[in-house]
Amino acid sequence: MFVALPGRQRRRLRWATPLLVALMCAAYLWIALLPDDAAWRGALLRWGTLSGSVTEWRAALRDERLLTLLSALFMHAGPLHLLGNVLFLLIFGLPSERAIGPWRQLLLFLGGGALANLAAALLMGSPARAIIGASGGVSALIGAYLALYPGARLGIVLPLGLWLEFIKAPAALLIGLWALLQLVFTFVGPSFGAVAWWAHLAGFSVGLAYALAVRPGLARRARGL
């Protein structure tokens, strides 16, 4: 008979992901409680990342525009926009935080999200458009999840006529299809550019590269070396 004994290693508190969710929800409530549509749009333009040329963003090094690369991560246009980002943040953020720790998780979300917003601002093509939402940071966590758990499986629900079938599929396959769709939608995507697909791709690339870089160190630490 084999008996599973609990390990002596103390589990770390995962606070970064819940904190990010709380900040996103608080920012949305603040926006939603503004007195009128003009104030709502003004807040999104003020705290969102505005698209522009390389020359404009070079000038931003001398003003507070750089701060919007971070603040835009917590601004959302509506409840469905917020709900989608929160859902994906919880699905991929909690496992990645367990592997890399809360401080690295926070750094990855903010740093990856800021770089994703900058990439979208430079590559969108349309000037003075507000880029908002946590998608860039969440995409960084999706990339990290793929590198940290390449053999993981994710549960999905498939509608089969009148029935719903729950199956598990390889995470690498699902995330790979998702990344491919982001690439396709970047050039022929729905909403005619209303979605910052470049932010998804850039964030995903940053998260994947970061997790691949730290994974050997995490493995050595897990072995106690």
Side-chain angles (χ1 to χ4, degrees):
M1 177 182 294
F2 296 92
V3 179
L5 297 177
R8 294 183 178 181
Q9 185 177 4
R10 186 177 61 180
R11 291 189 177 184
R12 291 175 295 183
L13 178 65
R14 285 178 280 176
W15 53 264
T17 302
L19 174 63
L20 291 171
V21 171
L23 291 175
M24 290 160 56
C25 293
Y28 177 73
L29 287 176
W30 170 65
I31 291 288
L33 293 175
L34 290 175
D36 51 44
D37 289 344
W40 177 79
R41 281 190 289 269
L44 294 185
L45 288 172
R46 170 64 181 82
W47 299 106
T49 299
L50 293 182
S51 59
S53 65
V54 175
T55 302
E56 291 172 327
W57 275 96
R58 283 176 181 169
L61 295 174
R62 298 187 296 271
D63 59 32
E64 61 183 13
R65 189 175 181 181
L66 282 178
L67 294 177
T68 65
L69 295 174
L70 295 175
S71 61
L73 295 171
F74 302 95
M75 302 289 107
H76 291 84
L80 293 181
H81 189 200
L82 173 66
L83 180 61
N85 279 330
V86 166
L87 180 62
F88 277 84
L89 176 58
L90 292 174
I91 291 173
F92 295 102
L94 290 174
S96 66
E97 184 177 353
R98 182 171 63 244
I100 65 177
W103 287 108
R104 285 181 175 176
Q105 172 90 345
L106 196 61
L107 175 64
L108 178 58
F109 178 88
L110 295 176
L115 291 174
N117 285 341
L118 178 59
L122 295 174
L123 297 171
M124 277 186 69
S126 302
R129 298 195 65 173
I131 300 167
I132 59 172
S135 300
V138 172
S139 297
L141 299 183
I142 294 175
Y145 180 92
L146 177 60
L148 295 169
Y149 305 100
R153 301 176 72 85
L154 294 173
I156 58 174
V157 177
L158 293 178
L160 301 176
L162 299 177
W163 306 96
L164 295 177
E165 184 71 20
F166 179 81
I167 65 171
K168 285 190 174 182
L173 174 62
L174 296 177
I175 294 175
L177 290 174
W178 172 84
L180 179 61
L181 286 176
Q182 309 314 299
L183 180 60
V184 172
F185 288 164
T186 297
F187 301 100
V188 293
S191 301
F192 303 100
V195 178
W197 304 109
W198 279 115
H200 300 179
L201 285 173
F204 176 77
S205 301
V206 170
L208 182 64
Y210 177 82
L212 287 174
V214 303
R215 192 172 64 177
L218 296 174
R220 289 194 298 270
R221 187 176 65 183
R223 294 194 300 266
L225 299 179

